[in-house]
Amino acid sequence: MSDFDQKLAQHISGLSKEQQPERDLWRGIELGIASQQREASNEESSSSTVTSRQWTAIAASVCVVTVLWFAAPFAFNADESRSDGYALIDAMSMQQQQQVNSLLASYQSTPALTQDWQEQLKELDDAADVIKAALKDDPDNSALIKMLHHVYQQQIALIERVHAPKWQQI
């Protein structure tokens, strides 16, 4: 063994076998755990509100589809200029209107965070009307249906964002 190796081995053997942290780490760990628990409980409470809205939307969708399924033979006949494909657009529009009305009613007592949100909602309504007019000519156009669905999602997101409680905002 070289002289350097001997000195290194001697120095290593002289070191303490246990290393102590420079400060007490338990307080930081405890705060981190408590913070995660608070965040988890906040997420659970906010996600339960979203979940109940989602269940309401699913139930409304099922009701609309059921009504359309049974009413379609009576409501549509061969003389009508509309195709059966437009029934989906009608159902989407009806469901959207019900969901918007439900949200607005639930947020009636909550003050809006901005003043021009109704103008934005009107612009989204106008965009939906333009897309629905295009869908009357081509009711099976999947790109237009996706666009309409996206506009409807933007309306819901706008209403929820404008009326979100301050504790939910980042």
Side-chain angles (χ1 to χ4, degrees):
M1 225 187 236
S2 72
D3 191 35
F4 176 74
D5 291 336
Q6 287 177 352
K7 286 182 181 179
L8 181 61
Q10 205 175 32
H11 184 64
I12 291 173
S13 65
L15 291 175
S16 170
K17 300 291 182 196
E18 290 186 27
Q19 184 176 0
Q20 298 294 323
E22 295 174 11
R23 60 185 172 94
D24 184 20
L25 299 177
W26 178 247
R27 182 70 183 142
I29 295 170
E30 186 178 38
L31 289 173
I33 292 172
S35 172
Q36 285 179 341
Q37 288 174 342
R38 280 193 307 272
E39 288 174 7
S41 67
N42 286 343
E43 287 175 6
E44 287 175 9
S45 65
S46 66
S47 67
S48 65
T49 305
V50 173
T51 303
S52 65
R53 287 188 187 135
Q54 288 174 343
W55 280 113
T56 304
I58 291 170
S61 300
V62 169
C63 290
V64 167
V65 169
T66 304
V67 167
L68 286 176
W69 180 265
F70 288 112
F74 304 109
F76 302 108
N77 59 32
D79 297 334
E80 289 187 14
S81 61
R82 283 182 166 177
S83 71
D84 289 338
Y86 200 77
L88 172 66
I89 286 57
D90 281 339
M92 282 176 57
S93 298
M94 190 175 4
Q95 176 190 358
Q96 175 67 13
Q97 191 59 46
Q98 289 173 348
Q99 194 170 6
V100 165
N101 290 343
S102 173
L103 277 175
L104 290 175
S106 69
Y107 287 130
Q108 191 172 14
S109 62
T110 307
L113 300 175
T114 61
Q115 300 301 322
D116 65 341
W117 72 274
Q118 290 177 331
E119 294 170 17
Q120 294 173 14
L121 191 62
K122 175 72 172 115
E123 289 174 4
L124 289 171
D125 274 338
D126 293 343
D129 290 341
V130 169
I131 296 169
K132 286 191 286 186
L135 280 166
K136 284 187 181 182
D137 295 333
D138 188 9
D140 297 324
N141 187 328
S142 64
L144 288 174
I145 293 171
K146 287 178 184 177
M147 285 174 61
L148 182 63
H149 181 69
H150 183 69
V151 168
Y152 285 162
Q153 286 178 330
Q154 286 179 324
Q155 286 178 329
I156 299 300
L158 173 68
I159 294 169
E160 289 178 340
R161 205 172 38 243
V162 165
H163 292 91
K166 289 184 180 181
W167 61 268
Q168 283 184 342
Q169 295 178 357
I170 297 175

